[in-house]
């Protein structure tokens, strides 16, 4: 996989025009753009088709978390939009993931649609290990929790999970070959963590074996975002 395919740029902006300007600016160096809650809520589904019409892939990062029927219907809508990837929260449970997987497969066969990659969000990279215990009363470790959720996502038929770089090798050991691992919380040494807790540099994350790196602020908040991407690209290319 080339670096162009490996880095997913998070379009965490609220203006559709600016988002498309960014897509055009990065069109030579990024293949997958992430549309998340902020952009989708302000710009609506047309932002997805606008990006796709420019020849790029979209990761629709809306982290569906609801009862199985609602999650599945949202997943079918995402599939009809033609997104390359979308995600659901694994903590919504096995039934939501399984139904979502089965019905998306059925729809794609019936209507001859491109099958999106279905991913499960494990534990948000903004949560620290001690938070699980302190806030949610979960007694086992964060790593054990991510492992359980990843195995459950695999059993439900999902294509992969979203997890921090710190859990990548553990997931690799427990899940089938080809199970995708998408890693946010990416922080080059020159960018502060902000709200992210389980961070990793691009070089470390690639060494750990992440398939895709999701990068947002450390590129977009820079005075020269293309230069920031170049620096990250060099880190990745020299990671092995
Ligand atoms: O700006 P930063 O690089 O921290 O952005 C990370 C992106 O990845 C954000 O768009 C965030 O919503 C998303 N994300 C995350 N942690 C997850 C799943 C998605 O940070 N577990």
């Amino acid at each position: 996989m080339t670096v162009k395919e490996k880095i997913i740029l998070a379009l965490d902006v609220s203006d559709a025009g600016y988002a498309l300007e960014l897509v055009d600016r990065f069109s030579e160096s990024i293949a997958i753009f992430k549309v998340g809650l902020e952009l989708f809520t302000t710009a609506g589904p047309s932002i997805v088709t606008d990006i796709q019409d420019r020849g790029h892939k979209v990761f629709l990062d809306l982290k569906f978390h609801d009862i199985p029927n609602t999650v599945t219907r949202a997943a079918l809508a995402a599939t009809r939009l033609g997104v390359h990837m979308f995600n659901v929260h694994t903590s919504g449970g096995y039934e939501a993931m399984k139904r979502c997987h089965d019905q998306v497969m059925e729809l794609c066969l019936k209507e001859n649609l491109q099958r999106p990659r279905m991913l499960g969000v494990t534990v948000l990279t903004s949560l620290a290990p001690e938070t699980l215990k302190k806030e949610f009363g979960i007694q086992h470790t964060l790593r054990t929790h991510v492992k359980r959720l990843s195995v459950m996502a695999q059993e439900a038929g999902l294509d992969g999970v979203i997890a921090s770089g710190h859990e990548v090798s553990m997931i690799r050991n427990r899940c089938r070959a080809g199970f995708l691992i998408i890693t946010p919380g990416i922080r080059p040494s020159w960018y502060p963590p902000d709200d992210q807790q389980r961070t990793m540099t691009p070089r470390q994350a690639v060494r750990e074996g992440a398939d895709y790196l999701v990068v947002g602020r450390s590129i977009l908040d820079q005075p020269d975002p293309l230069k920031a991407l170049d620096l990250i690209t060099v880190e990745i290319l020299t990671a092995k």
Side-chain angles (χ1 to χ4, degrees), residues 10 12 34 36 61 63 87 121-126 162-163 184-187 191 193 195-196 214-218:
D12 290 333
K34 186 172 86 65
D61 178 23
K63 303 184 180 70
N87 53 8
V121 180
T122 57
V123 176
L124 294 170
T125 44
S126 55
I162 323 284
I186 296 298
R187 286 293 179 274
Y191 196 81
D195 59 347
Q196 296 283 21
V214 174
V215 189
R217 286 164 289 185
S218 56

PDB file of all heavy atoms in Angstrom, residues 10 12 34 36 61 63 87 121-126 162-163 184-187 191 193 195-196 214-218, ligand 1:
ATOM      1  N   ALA A  10      -8.642  13.528   7.880  1.00  0.00           N
ATOM      2  CA  ALA A  10      -9.906  13.858   8.555  1.00  0.00           C
ATOM      3  C   ALA A  10     -10.303  15.289   8.212  1.00  0.00           C
ATOM      4  O   ALA A  10      -9.627  16.241   8.620  1.00  0.00           O
ATOM      5  CB  ALA A  10      -9.731  13.707  10.065  1.00  0.00           C
ATOM      6  N   ASP A  12     -12.072  17.642   9.344  1.00  0.00           N
ATOM      7  CA  ASP A  12     -12.810  18.137  10.500  1.00  0.00           C
ATOM      8  C   ASP A  12     -12.987  19.647  10.406  1.00  0.00           C
ATOM      9  O   ASP A  12     -12.373  20.420  11.156  1.00  0.00           O
ATOM     10  CB  ASP A  12     -12.108  17.712  11.795  1.00  0.00           C
ATOM     11  CG  ASP A  12     -12.229  16.210  12.033  1.00  0.00           C
ATOM     12  OD1 ASP A  12     -13.219  15.617  11.547  1.00  0.00           O
ATOM     13  OD2 ASP A  12     -11.345  15.620  12.672  1.00  0.00           O
ATOM     14  N   LYS A  34     -11.869  11.593   5.162  1.00  0.00           N
ATOM     15  CA  LYS A  34     -12.817  11.210   6.204  1.00  0.00           C
ATOM     16  C   LYS A  34     -13.815  12.342   6.442  1.00  0.00           C
ATOM     17  O   LYS A  34     -13.430  13.476   6.716  1.00  0.00           O
ATOM     18  CB  LYS A  34     -12.065  10.891   7.498  1.00  0.00           C
ATOM     19  CG  LYS A  34     -12.971  10.333   8.589  1.00  0.00           C
ATOM     20  CD  LYS A  34     -12.159   9.848   9.780  1.00  0.00           C
ATOM     21  CE  LYS A  34     -11.846  10.910  10.774  1.00  0.00           C
ATOM     22  NZ  LYS A  34     -13.004  11.486  11.486  1.00  0.00           N
ATOM     23  N   GLY A  36     -16.601  13.399   8.978  1.00  0.00           N
ATOM     24  CA  GLY A  36     -17.040  13.063  10.322  1.00  0.00           C
ATOM     25  C   GLY A  36     -18.273  13.848  10.738  1.00  0.00           C
ATOM     26  O   GLY A  36     -18.962  14.468   9.908  1.00  0.00           O
ATOM     27  N   ASP A  61     -17.285   8.673   8.849  1.00  0.00           N
ATOM     28  CA  ASP A  61     -16.984   8.395  10.260  1.00  0.00           C
ATOM     29  C   ASP A  61     -18.082   8.986  11.143  1.00  0.00           C
ATOM     30  O   ASP A  61     -17.900  10.004  11.794  1.00  0.00           O
ATOM     31  CB  ASP A  61     -15.611   9.008  10.588  1.00  0.00           C
ATOM     32  CG  ASP A  61     -15.198   8.837  12.044  1.00  0.00           C
ATOM     33  OD1 ASP A  61     -15.705   7.904  12.703  1.00  0.00           O
ATOM     34  OD2 ASP A  61     -14.367   9.635  12.520  1.00  0.00           O
ATOM     35  N   LYS A  63     -19.762   6.898  13.307  1.00  0.00           N
ATOM     36  CA  LYS A  63     -19.761   6.035  14.502  1.00  0.00           C
ATOM     37  C   LYS A  63     -21.179   5.711  14.967  1.00  0.00           C
ATOM     38  O   LYS A  63     -21.587   6.064  16.077  1.00  0.00           O
ATOM     39  CB  LYS A  63     -18.997   6.710  15.651  1.00  0.00           C
ATOM     40  CG  LYS A  63     -17.564   7.082  15.324  1.00  0.00           C
ATOM     41  CD  LYS A  63     -16.858   7.647  16.537  1.00  0.00           C
ATOM     42  CE  LYS A  63     -15.427   8.027  16.260  1.00  0.00           C
ATOM     43  NZ  LYS A  63     -15.284   9.208  15.371  1.00  0.00           N
ATOM     44  N   ASN A  87     -18.387   3.322   9.856  1.00  0.00           N
ATOM     45  CA  ASN A  87     -18.139   2.618  11.119  1.00  0.00           C
ATOM     46  C   ASN A  87     -19.341   2.633  12.061  1.00  0.00           C
ATOM     47  O   ASN A  87     -20.220   3.491  11.969  1.00  0.00           O
ATOM     48  CB  ASN A  87     -16.888   3.157  11.830  1.00  0.00           C
ATOM     49  CG  ASN A  87     -16.920   4.651  12.024  1.00  0.00           C
ATOM     50  OD1 ASN A  87     -17.913   5.303  11.766  1.00  0.00           O
ATOM     51  ND2 ASN A  87     -15.816   5.213  12.474  1.00  0.00           N
ATOM     52  N   VAL A 121     -15.741   0.713  15.871  1.00  0.00           N
ATOM     53  CA  VAL A 121     -14.967   1.570  16.783  1.00  0.00           C
ATOM     54  C   VAL A 121     -14.821   0.795  18.089  1.00  0.00           C
ATOM     55  O   VAL A 121     -15.818   0.352  18.661  1.00  0.00           O
ATOM     56  CB  VAL A 121     -15.704   2.908  17.047  1.00  0.00           C
ATOM     57  CG1 VAL A 121     -14.899   3.786  18.003  1.00  0.00           C
ATOM     58  CG2 VAL A 121     -15.981   3.639  15.737  1.00  0.00           C
ATOM     59  N   THR A 122     -13.599   0.625  18.560  1.00  0.00           N
ATOM     60  CA  THR A 122     -13.394  -0.098  19.830  1.00  0.00           C
ATOM     61  C   THR A 122     -13.475   0.908  20.984  1.00  0.00           C
ATOM     62  O   THR A 122     -14.555   1.324  21.359  1.00  0.00           O
ATOM     63  CB  THR A 122     -12.058  -0.873  19.814  1.00  0.00           C
ATOM     64  OG1 THR A 122     -10.988   0.034  19.568  1.00  0.00           O
ATOM     65  CG2 THR A 122     -12.075  -1.979  18.777  1.00  0.00           C
ATOM     66  N   VAL A 123     -12.327   1.322  21.510  1.00  0.00           N
ATOM     67  CA  VAL A 123     -12.329   2.331  22.577  1.00  0.00           C
ATOM     68  C   VAL A 123     -11.710   3.601  21.994  1.00  0.00           C
ATOM     69  O   VAL A 123     -10.594   3.550  21.454  1.00  0.00           O
ATOM     70  CB  VAL A 123     -11.516   1.851  23.798  1.00  0.00           C
ATOM     71  CG1 VAL A 123     -11.441   2.954  24.857  1.00  0.00           C
ATOM     72  CG2 VAL A 123     -12.153   0.592  24.396  1.00  0.00           C
ATOM     73  N   LEU A 124     -12.430   4.700  22.075  1.00  0.00           N
ATOM     74  CA  LEU A 124     -11.955   5.958  21.488  1.00  0.00           C
ATOM     75  C   LEU A 124     -10.530   6.278  21.939  1.00  0.00           C
ATOM     76  O   LEU A 124     -10.189   6.086  23.118  1.00  0.00           O
ATOM     77  CB  LEU A 124     -12.890   7.106  21.887  1.00  0.00           C
ATOM     78  CG  LEU A 124     -14.326   7.031  21.337  1.00  0.00           C
ATOM     79  CD1 LEU A 124     -15.196   8.092  21.999  1.00  0.00           C
ATOM     80  CD2 LEU A 124     -14.342   7.182  19.821  1.00  0.00           C
ATOM     81  N   THR A 125      -9.741   6.807  21.021  1.00  0.00           N
ATOM     82  CA  THR A 125      -8.342   7.130  21.348  1.00  0.00           C
ATOM     83  C   THR A 125      -8.239   8.306  22.322  1.00  0.00           C
ATOM     84  O   THR A 125      -7.169   8.587  22.852  1.00  0.00           O
ATOM     85  CB  THR A 125      -7.546   7.452  20.066  1.00  0.00           C
ATOM     86  OG1 THR A 125      -8.342   8.302  19.240  1.00  0.00           O
ATOM     87  CG2 THR A 125      -7.196   6.210  19.312  1.00  0.00           C
ATOM     88  N   SER A 126      -9.348   8.979  22.573  1.00  0.00           N
ATOM     89  CA  SER A 126      -9.350  10.088  23.536  1.00  0.00           C
ATOM     90  C   SER A 126      -9.534   9.593  24.972  1.00  0.00           C
ATOM     91  O   SER A 126      -9.502  10.387  25.906  1.00  0.00           O
ATOM     92  CB  SER A 126     -10.476  11.068  23.178  1.00  0.00           C
ATOM     93  OG  SER A 126     -11.701  10.370  23.105  1.00  0.00           O
ATOM     94  N   ILE A 162     -11.357   0.215  14.514  1.00  0.00           N
ATOM     95  CA  ILE A 162     -10.613   1.438  14.765  1.00  0.00           C
ATOM     96  C   ILE A 162     -10.029   1.282  16.169  1.00  0.00           C
ATOM     97  O   ILE A 162     -10.784   1.024  17.130  1.00  0.00           O
ATOM     98  CB  ILE A 162     -11.535   2.693  14.791  1.00  0.00           C
ATOM     99  CG1 ILE A 162     -12.661   2.613  13.754  1.00  0.00           C
ATOM    100  CG2 ILE A 162     -10.731   3.967  14.696  1.00  0.00           C
ATOM    101  CD1 ILE A 162     -12.321   2.862  12.360  1.00  0.00           C
ATOM    102  N   ALA A 163      -8.732   1.433  16.302  1.00  0.00           N
ATOM    103  CA  ALA A 163      -8.089   1.298  17.613  1.00  0.00           C
ATOM    104  C   ALA A 163      -6.812   2.115  17.618  1.00  0.00           C
ATOM    105  O   ALA A 163      -6.298   2.476  16.553  1.00  0.00           O
ATOM    106  CB  ALA A 163      -7.769  -0.169  17.887  1.00  0.00           C
ATOM    107  N   PRO A 184      -6.419   6.118  14.611  1.00  0.00           N
ATOM    108  CA  PRO A 184      -6.377   7.571  14.843  1.00  0.00           C
ATOM    109  C   PRO A 184      -5.461   7.864  16.044  1.00  0.00           C
ATOM    110  O   PRO A 184      -4.750   6.979  16.498  1.00  0.00           O
ATOM    111  CB  PRO A 184      -7.831   7.928  15.159  1.00  0.00           C
ATOM    112  CG  PRO A 184      -8.558   6.634  15.379  1.00  0.00           C
ATOM    113  CD  PRO A 184      -7.568   5.499  15.282  1.00  0.00           C
ATOM    114  N   GLY A 185      -5.506   9.094  16.529  1.00  0.00           N
ATOM    115  CA  GLY A 185      -4.628   9.448  17.660  1.00  0.00           C
ATOM    116  C   GLY A 185      -3.186   9.553  17.192  1.00  0.00           C
ATOM    117  O   GLY A 185      -2.258   9.365  17.976  1.00  0.00           O
ATOM    118  N   ILE A 186      -3.010   9.851  15.912  1.00  0.00           N
ATOM    119  CA  ILE A 186      -1.656   9.969  15.356  1.00  0.00           C
ATOM    120  C   ILE A 186      -1.086  11.344  15.706  1.00  0.00           C
ATOM    121  O   ILE A 186      -1.726  12.378  15.452  1.00  0.00           O
ATOM    122  CB  ILE A 186      -1.696   9.770  13.814  1.00  0.00           C
ATOM    123  CG1 ILE A 186      -2.170   8.347  13.481  1.00  0.00           C
ATOM    124  CG2 ILE A 186      -0.340  10.081  13.185  1.00  0.00           C
ATOM    125  CD1 ILE A 186      -1.288   7.232  13.988  1.00  0.00           C
ATOM    126  N   ARG A 187       0.091  11.330  16.310  1.00  0.00           N
ATOM    127  CA  ARG A 187       0.723  12.582  16.723  1.00  0.00           C
ATOM    128  C   ARG A 187       2.202  12.578  16.373  1.00  0.00           C
ATOM    129  O   ARG A 187       3.010  11.902  17.036  1.00  0.00           O
ATOM    130  CB  ARG A 187       0.575  12.775  18.243  1.00  0.00           C
ATOM    131  CG  ARG A 187      -0.840  13.162  18.671  1.00  0.00           C
ATOM    132  CD  ARG A 187      -1.174  14.553  18.153  1.00  0.00           C
ATOM    133  NE  ARG A 187      -2.506  15.000  18.485  1.00  0.00           N
ATOM    134  CZ  ARG A 187      -3.625  14.758  17.788  1.00  0.00           C
ATOM    135  NH1 ARG A 187      -3.585  14.033  16.687  1.00  0.00           N
ATOM    136  NH2 ARG A 187      -4.775  15.270  18.158  1.00  0.00           N
ATOM    137  N   TYR A 191       3.648  17.821  17.290  1.00  0.00           N
ATOM    138  CA  TYR A 191       2.268  18.287  17.467  1.00  0.00           C
ATOM    139  C   TYR A 191       1.724  17.824  18.824  1.00  0.00           C
ATOM    140  O   TYR A 191       1.892  16.670  19.199  1.00  0.00           O
ATOM    141  CB  TYR A 191       1.362  17.793  16.328  1.00  0.00           C
ATOM    142  CG  TYR A 191       0.056  18.554  16.281  1.00  0.00           C
ATOM    143  CD1 TYR A 191      -0.015  19.805  15.682  1.00  0.00           C
ATOM    144  CD2 TYR A 191      -1.086  18.049  16.899  1.00  0.00           C
ATOM    145  CE1 TYR A 191      -1.199  20.528  15.675  1.00  0.00           C
ATOM    146  CE2 TYR A 191      -2.273  18.771  16.898  1.00  0.00           C
ATOM    147  CZ  TYR A 191      -2.321  20.007  16.279  1.00  0.00           C
ATOM    148  OH  TYR A 191      -3.486  20.724  16.278  1.00  0.00           O
ATOM    149  N   PRO A 193      -0.769  16.536  21.936  1.00  0.00           N
ATOM    150  CA  PRO A 193      -1.853  15.540  21.956  1.00  0.00           C
ATOM    151  C   PRO A 193      -3.258  16.144  21.983  1.00  0.00           C
ATOM    152  O   PRO A 193      -4.197  15.574  21.449  1.00  0.00           O
ATOM    153  CB  PRO A 193      -1.613  14.747  23.230  1.00  0.00           C
ATOM    154  CG  PRO A 193      -0.357  15.230  23.833  1.00  0.00           C
ATOM    155  CD  PRO A 193       0.120  16.434  23.098  1.00  0.00           C
ATOM    156  N   ASP A 195      -6.860  16.590  22.923  1.00  0.00           N
ATOM    157  CA  ASP A 195      -7.788  15.701  23.630  1.00  0.00           C
ATOM    158  C   ASP A 195      -7.450  14.216  23.452  1.00  0.00           C
ATOM    159  O   ASP A 195      -8.095  13.357  24.042  1.00  0.00           O
ATOM    160  CB  ASP A 195      -9.232  15.964  23.170  1.00  0.00           C
ATOM    161  CG  ASP A 195      -9.422  15.767  21.673  1.00  0.00           C
ATOM    162  OD1 ASP A 195      -8.409  15.669  20.939  1.00  0.00           O
ATOM    163  OD2 ASP A 195     -10.577  15.719  21.219  1.00  0.00           O
ATOM    164  N   GLN A 196      -6.477  13.887  22.624  1.00  0.00           N
ATOM    165  CA  GLN A 196      -6.148  12.471  22.386  1.00  0.00           C
ATOM    166  C   GLN A 196      -5.266  11.954  23.524  1.00  0.00           C
ATOM    167  O   GLN A 196      -4.385  12.658  24.003  1.00  0.00           O
ATOM    168  CB  GLN A 196      -5.406  12.315  21.049  1.00  0.00           C
ATOM    169  CG  GLN A 196      -6.238  12.701  19.832  1.00  0.00           C
ATOM    170  CD  GLN A 196      -7.265  11.636  19.437  1.00  0.00           C
ATOM    171  OE1 GLN A 196      -7.649  10.785  20.242  1.00  0.00           O
ATOM    172  NE2 GLN A 196      -7.730  11.709  18.195  1.00  0.00           N
ATOM    173  N   VAL A 214      -5.342   7.653  10.556  1.00  0.00           N
ATOM    174  CA  VAL A 214      -6.251   8.793  10.413  1.00  0.00           C
ATOM    175  C   VAL A 214      -5.544  10.021  10.979  1.00  0.00           C
ATOM    176  O   VAL A 214      -5.121  10.004  12.133  1.00  0.00           O
ATOM    177  CB  VAL A 214      -7.567   8.563  11.188  1.00  0.00           C
ATOM    178  CG1 VAL A 214      -8.430   9.820  11.152  1.00  0.00           C
ATOM    179  CG2 VAL A 214      -8.326   7.378  10.621  1.00  0.00           C
ATOM    180  N   VAL A 215      -5.406  11.042  10.169  1.00  0.00           N
ATOM    181  CA  VAL A 215      -4.703  12.245  10.624  1.00  0.00           C
ATOM    182  C   VAL A 215      -5.574  13.465  10.351  1.00  0.00           C
ATOM    183  O   VAL A 215      -6.131  13.608   9.256  1.00  0.00           O
ATOM    184  CB  VAL A 215      -3.343  12.413   9.916  1.00  0.00           C
ATOM    185  CG1 VAL A 215      -2.539  13.539  10.568  1.00  0.00           C
ATOM    186  CG2 VAL A 215      -2.539  11.119   9.940  1.00  0.00           C
ATOM    187  N   GLY A 216      -5.704  14.303  11.370  1.00  0.00           N
ATOM    188  CA  GLY A 216      -6.510  15.516  11.217  1.00  0.00           C
ATOM    189  C   GLY A 216      -5.724  16.761  11.527  1.00  0.00           C
ATOM    190  O   GLY A 216      -5.005  17.303  10.686  1.00  0.00           O
ATOM    191  N   ARG A 217      -5.813  17.184  12.810  1.00  0.00           N
ATOM    192  CA  ARG A 217      -5.251  18.483  13.201  1.00  0.00           C
ATOM    193  C   ARG A 217      -3.768  18.653  12.934  1.00  0.00           C
ATOM    194  O   ARG A 217      -3.326  19.760  12.636  1.00  0.00           O
ATOM    195  CB  ARG A 217      -5.562  18.731  14.686  1.00  0.00           C
ATOM    196  CG  ARG A 217      -7.012  19.087  14.917  1.00  0.00           C
ATOM    197  CD  ARG A 217      -7.394  18.956  16.362  1.00  0.00           C
ATOM    198  NE  ARG A 217      -7.464  17.562  16.793  1.00  0.00           N
ATOM    199  CZ  ARG A 217      -7.861  17.155  17.991  1.00  0.00           C
ATOM    200  NH1 ARG A 217      -8.203  18.052  18.884  1.00  0.00           N
ATOM    201  NH2 ARG A 217      -7.922  15.884  18.292  1.00  0.00           N
ATOM    202  N   SER A 218      -2.987  17.577  13.058  1.00  0.00           N
ATOM    203  CA  SER A 218      -1.546  17.783  12.887  1.00  0.00           C
ATOM    204  C   SER A 218      -1.194  18.130  11.440  1.00  0.00           C
ATOM    205  O   SER A 218      -0.090  18.590  11.165  1.00  0.00           O
ATOM    206  CB  SER A 218      -0.739  16.574  13.381  1.00  0.00           C
ATOM    207  OG  SER A 218      -1.151  15.410  12.732  1.00  0.00           O
TER     208      SER A 218
HETATM  209  O1  LIG B   1      -7.107  15.765  14.775  1.00  0.00           O
HETATM  210  P1  LIG B   1      -6.863  14.324  15.042  1.00  0.00           P
HETATM  211  O2  LIG B   1      -5.709  13.766  14.202  1.00  0.00           O
HETATM  212  O3  LIG B   1      -6.761  13.980  16.490  1.00  0.00           O
HETATM  213  O4  LIG B   1      -8.171  13.637  14.462  1.00  0.00           O
HETATM  214  C1  LIG B   1      -8.508  12.305  14.646  1.00  0.00           C
HETATM  215  C2  LIG B   1      -9.772  12.007  13.899  1.00  0.00           C
HETATM  216  O5  LIG B   1     -10.072  10.643  14.075  1.00  0.00           O
HETATM  217  C3  LIG B   1     -10.978  12.802  14.361  1.00  0.00           C
HETATM  218  O6  LIG B   1     -11.725  13.106  13.200  1.00  0.00           O
HETATM  219  C4  LIG B   1     -11.743  11.846  15.241  1.00  0.00           C
HETATM  220  O7  LIG B   1     -13.132  12.046  15.160  1.00  0.00           O
HETATM  221  C5  LIG B   1     -11.371  10.500  14.643  1.00  0.00           C
HETATM  222  N1  LIG B   1     -11.391   9.359  15.541  1.00  0.00           N
HETATM  223  C6  LIG B   1     -10.646   9.295  16.696  1.00  0.00           C
HETATM  224  N2  LIG B   1     -10.706   8.200  17.517  1.00  0.00           N
HETATM  225  C7  LIG B   1     -11.457   7.163  17.195  1.00  0.00           C
HETATM  226  C8  LIG B   1     -12.205   7.187  16.018  1.00  0.00           C
HETATM  227  C9  LIG B   1     -12.138   8.306  15.196  1.00  0.00           C
HETATM  228  O8  LIG B   1      -9.888  10.235  16.986  1.00  0.00           O
HETATM  229  N3  LIG B   1     -11.464   6.081  17.951  1.00  0.00           N
END
